[in-house]
Amino acid sequence: MSVTEMFSYIQCFLSADQDIREDIRKVVQVLEQTAREILTVLQSVHQPSGFKEIPNKCSKARELFCTVNTQLADLKTKFPVEQYYRFHEHWRFVLQRLTFLSAFVVYLETESLVTREEVTQILGIEVERERGFHLDVEDYLAGVLIMASELSRLAVNSVTAGDYTRPLRISNFINELDSGFRLLNLKNDPLRKRYDGLKYDVKKIEEVVYDLSIRGLAKEPEGDK
Amino acid sequence: MSKREAEGCPQKNVIDHDVRDHLSSPVIKAFKVFQQELDTKHDKYERLVKISRDITIESKRTIFLLHRVTSVPDVEDVLKEADGKLDGVRQKIGQIANELRGEDLYQFHRAFTPGMQEYVEAVSFQHYIRHRSLISLEEINARLVFMKMEKADSKDSLEALPLGAQVVTFQVMPSDYLLGVADLTGELMRLCISSVGNGDIDTPFQLSQFLRQIHDGFSYIGNTGPYEVSKKLHTLRQSLGKVEDACYTLRVRGSEIPKHMLADVFSSRTALIDPEEGVV
C-alpha cells in the first residue's frame, strides 16, 4: 500500500467519524432544548406560589421527559452502540443535566434520592453498558451533585415562602448524600471538582437550619400539627 | 489512595458518626456500590497506564537500537534484535487487549494512547528500514492477535465472556496510527542526518522523497484529523526542511565533484573530520 493510499484510507475514516459527530451534535442540541424546557418548568418551584403546585409541576416535567425519551432513542441510532465512549463527550453534559432534572423531580415527589435505575427508566436508557446506551456512573453522580446545589437554593426559598420544615428535611437529605459521597475515592477529575462544591451546599443549608432553630421557627409547624 | 481520603475529608470523626447513623440507609448502600464500581474502573485505568508506560519505554529503546543501522556492517542483525524487542512490546499490548476484553475500547483510550503511538512509531520505523515503505494500519493490526495465555486474572464474573474464548485481538485506532506516523518522521530525519554523516548518499534522497509523501498525506488530511495532528504537522515540516537541506547540500557538493568520486569524498571526510561536518 502506498503512502498516498494509506492516507486516503485514513482520511475516509476521519470524515466518516466527523459525519457521525455532526449527526450526534444535531440531536444533542434538540435534547438540550428539551432539558432547558424542563428546567424552566421546575424553576417555578422557587417562587412562593410554586410550593403549592409542586405535584403539578412534576407531572408537567414528567410529560416532557417523554419527549426526552424519543429524542434519546433518536440519538441511539446515530452511532454504533459499542462505541459509546468514543462520542461520550458530546452528550455527557446534557445527560448530566437530565439526570439532575429527573433526580429533582423525584426528590420533589418523594423526598428521596433517585436511584440510577430510576433515572434510566425515566430517560428510557439502560443501566449496564453491555445492554446499550447507558448512564455512566460518573454522569449520574454529577447529576446528583447538581441537584444538591439546587436543593440548597430551595431551602432558602422555602423559608422565604414560609415553609419552615422543608429546610430541615433537605438538610437531612443532603447530609446523607454528603456521607455517601465521602465513601467514594474520587480521582482528580471533573467529578471530584464538582464534589468539592458540595460542602458549600451543606454549609448553606446548615446556616438556614441554624437561623430557623435559634428563632424557634423550626419547631413551630410541629406545634401546629 | 489513603492520602487522598485524608485530604478529602478533614472532619474524620464526623464521617464516622454519619456513616454509623445511616449505615443501613438505601443512599449509603447505593454509594457503596458506586464506590466499588469507580474503584474497579480507576484500578483498571491505572493498570493500563502502567502497561502503556512500559510499552513506551521499550519502543523508545527499539528506536534507539534501530538508529544503529547506519553504523553497523550487518543491518539484518540489528533488525532481528529489534524484532525480538518488538515481540516483547507486543506481549504487553496483549496484556492491554486482555484488560480491555468486554470493555469499551474508547473508555480507556486515554490510558494507553501514548504507548500505542510509540509502538506505531517503532514498528513503522523498523518496517521502513527493512522495506523502504510505510507500514499500513492493517499490517500493524495483523500482528496484534494474541492467544489468551493464562486465565489467572479473570476477576469479576461480569466479564467472563464465553464468546471471546481463545483469540484476543487489538486494533490500533486510526488516530493513534496517524500520530505514530507523525512521530516516525522525526526518526527518519535523524536517520537521514546520520546516514549523511556516514557517507551514504542514496538514503537521504530516498528519505526526503518518503518524507515528502508523508507530508503530502498529512496536508491532505489537514485539520479534519484529531487536534494533536496539527501540532505534529509543524514538527513534521521542520524535519522535512532539515532533510531537504541535507539533500540540497549533497547535490550542490555533488555537482562540484564527478559523481563516481562523491562517495569517496564523503566517506573520507567523515573518516577524517567530525561527522557533523557533513551535515551542514
Side-chain angles (χ1 to χ4, degrees), chain A residues 1 3 6-11 13-14 18 81-86 113 116 128-130 136-138 140-141 144 172-173 175-177 179-189 191-192 195, chain B residues 1 4-5 7 9 11 15 18 22 25 27-28 31-32 34-35 37-39 41-42 45-46 102-104 106-107 134 136-138 158 174 177-178 181 210 213-214 217-218 220-221 224-226:
Chain A
M1 198 183 244
V3 178
M6 197 58 227
F7 273 96
S8 54
Y9 168 75
I10 301 265
Q11 166 64 31
F13 171 85
L14 289 174
Q18 277 201 327
V81 72
E82 70 280 2
Q83 299 185 353
Y84 180 91
Y85 284 99
R86 182 162 155 203
L113 177 66
R116 189 146 60 121
E128 312 230 335
R129 188 181 69 78
E130 284 79 7
D136 190 82
V137 65
E138 293 190 29
Y140 165 76
L141 292 172
V144 169
N172 281 337
F173 179 74
N175 272 325
E176 200 174 11
L177 211 59
S179 42
F181 270 100
R182 284 187 194 170
L183 288 177
L184 306 179
N185 306 310
L186 296 175
K187 285 215 299 183
N188 213 354
D189 57 2
L191 184 62
R192 162 72 189 264
Y195 163 69
Chain B
M1 202 65 84
R4 191 165 286 154
E5 261 172 20
E7 71 187 25
C9 31
Q11 316 135 291
I15 318 153
D18 276 357
H22 320 281
S25 85
V27 174
I28 298 298
F31 273 86
K32 284 216 169 110
F34 300 148
Q35 179 196 42
E37 200 175 327
L38 285 173
D39 285 351
K41 199 171 105 184
H42 292 162
Y45 191 90
E46 291 305 323
E103 297 285 349
D104 189 328
Y106 291 90
Q107 188 176 9
L134 182 66
S136 73
L137 188 55
E138 283 88 10
L158 230 161
Y177 172 78
L178 207 57
V181 169
F210 186 62
Q213 281 176 358
I214 291 182
F218 272 101
Y220 175 60
I221 281 173
T224 53

Side-chain angles (χ1 to χ4, degrees), chain B residues 68-220:
Chain B
R68 294 209 325 248
V69 292
T70 47
S71 55
V72 293
D74 198 355
V75 175
E76 200 49 44
D77 280 349
V78 175
L79 287 176
K80 282 230 176 69
E81 202 184 329
D83 263 335
K85 273 182 181 286
L86 285 175
D87 274 335
V89 177
R90 275 191 278 273
Q91 288 294 317
K92 294 218 162 62
I93 297 176
Q95 287 174 25
I96 290 189
N98 238 349
E99 287 280 358
L100 290 175
R101 243 174 337 126
E103 297 285 349
D104 189 328
L105 206 64
Y106 291 90
Q107 188 176 9
F108 299 99
H109 184 212
R110 286 235 317 260
F112 59 84
T113 173
M116 289 323 297
Q117 287 178 27
E118 209 65 35
Y119 170 71
V120 170
E121 182 178 346
V123 90
S124 58
F125 191 40
Q126 193 212 24
H127 185 93
Y128 179 78
I129 291 171
R130 194 170 263 164
H131 305 287
R132 303 277 146 171
S133 65
L134 182 66
I135 194 168
S136 73
L137 188 55
E138 283 88 10
E139 283 173 90
I140 293 179
N141 282 336
R143 304 195 69 172
L144 297 178
V145 178
F146 310 96
M147 297 315 248
K148 206 178 74 187
M149 306 138 267
E150 6 92 85
K151 253 203 98 216
D153 61 18
S154 62
K155 303 147 261 78
D156 290 306
S157 54
L158 230 161
E159 33 179 338
L161 257 205
L163 41 141
Q166 287 305 318
V167 182
V168 185
T169 58
F170 187 86
Q171 300 277 309
V172 174
M173 282 173 213
S175 60
D176 285 346
Y177 172 78
L178 207 57
L179 294 170
V181 169
D183 290 336
L184 167 72
T185 56
E187 301 307 325
L188 293 177
M189 182 270 288
R190 283 178 60 194
L191 184 71
C192 168
I193 302 302
S194 62
S195 56
V196 172
N198 282 304
D200 182 350
I201 46 164
D202 292 329
T203 309
F205 290 102
Q206 281 173 13
L207 276 168
S208 79
Q209 201 174 349
F210 186 62
L211 275 182
R212 226 170 278 144
Q213 281 176 358
I214 291 182
H215 177 261
D216 292 349
F218 272 101
S219 319
Y220 175 60

